[in-house]
Amino acid sequence: MRRVRKALTGPLAVGVLVAAVAGVGFGLYWFQPWKLWQDETVQEALPEVVATPASPTAAGKPSSQAGTPSPAGPQTRASGELISHEHATSGTVKLVRLADGSHVVRLEDLDTSNGPDLRVLLTDAPVKEGRAGWHVFDDGEHVSLGSLKGNKGSQNYALPDGVDPARYTSVSIWCDRFDVSFGAAELART
């Protein structure tokens, strides 16, 4: 009995216990398994942008650009349905041009798993079904539109200035920590 007690309180046992606690703590931080049971729903409306009236030229006549009317509201330029990759994912993705000429990627009726370090990527990668599509979206040209706001609902992600949306063909819900797609959609031009 005395030997067992001495072995359990010895430096080797304490070292093993400290290493095990540290390993479990790191594993919990890295994988964040509790997120699988936590849903975050975000419901955002499509942004409305007020177009500014054209300014007159020095002669008091509108410029030639003013003769071309701009669209009155947001226009969908491309859209697609999300398919599942690493996690079951569904919803619609739209590339929307706002009245001021800026673009947003809109996720509608999104339903996916929550996870660590999820991002929305606009990419030039083809969308492949199954395991073949899990790891391709950060291989080519891609733009991170920011962290996923919620794993359920409808939300908007503004394209940064200088990004040409015509160069990109797909959107992925991307787990940056594990370099894997939760789901993706091919953008079909409208």
Side-chain angles (χ1 to χ4, degrees):
M1 183 71 151
R2 201 171 195 193
R3 281 185 180 171
V4 172
R5 188 178 309 159
K6 190 173 185 180
L8 291 176
T9 59
L12 179 61
V14 171
V16 168
L17 181 62
V18 168
V21 169
V24 168
F26 178 76
L28 287 173
Y29 165 76
W30 190 251
F31 289 98
Q32 299 177 0
W34 58 87
K35 285 195 170 190
L36 290 173
W37 296 280
Q38 293 177 335
D39 288 330
E40 189 166 341
T41 302
V42 174
Q43 293 293 346
E44 291 181 330
L46 188 61
E48 293 292 326
V49 178
V50 178
T52 57
S55 60
T57 61
K61 296 181 182 177
S63 67
S64 61
Q65 289 179 335
T68 314
S70 63
Q75 294 182 329
T76 300
R77 295 299 176 113
S79 64
E81 293 296 318
L82 285 162
I83 65 166
S84 298
H85 281 145
E86 172 71 18
H87 291 268
T89 302
S90 63
T92 303
V93 176
K94 293 181 179 179
L95 177 63
V96 179
R97 184 177 188 273
L98 302 176
D100 68 352
S102 65
H103 290 84
V104 296
V105 167
R106 178 158 175 83
L107 304 178
E108 291 184 341
D109 302 320
L110 173 66
D111 188 0
T112 191
S113 297
N114 206 344
D117 206 11
L118 295 180
R119 306 208 171 269
V120 178
L121 294 187
L122 183 63
T123 79
D124 66 351
V127 175
K128 300 175 184 176
E129 298 214 17
R131 288 183 145 260
W134 286 19
H135 302 284
V136 300
F137 296 100
D138 66 343
D139 294 344
E141 191 172 343
H142 62 278
V143 176
S144 176
L145 302 179
S147 295
L148 187 68
K149 297 173 186 176
N151 63 309
K152 296 187 180 300
S154 298
Q155 47 212 266
N156 307 302
Y157 297 87
L159 269 64
D161 291 337
V163 172
D164 179 8
R167 296 177 63 175
Y168 301 94
T169 58
S170 60
V171 172
S172 173
I173 308 300
W174 183 255
C175 179
D176 212 27
R177 177 152 310 153
F178 296 104
D179 290 330
V180 67
S181 173
F182 275 33
E186 190 83 35
L187 293 174
R189 304 291 172 187
T190 56

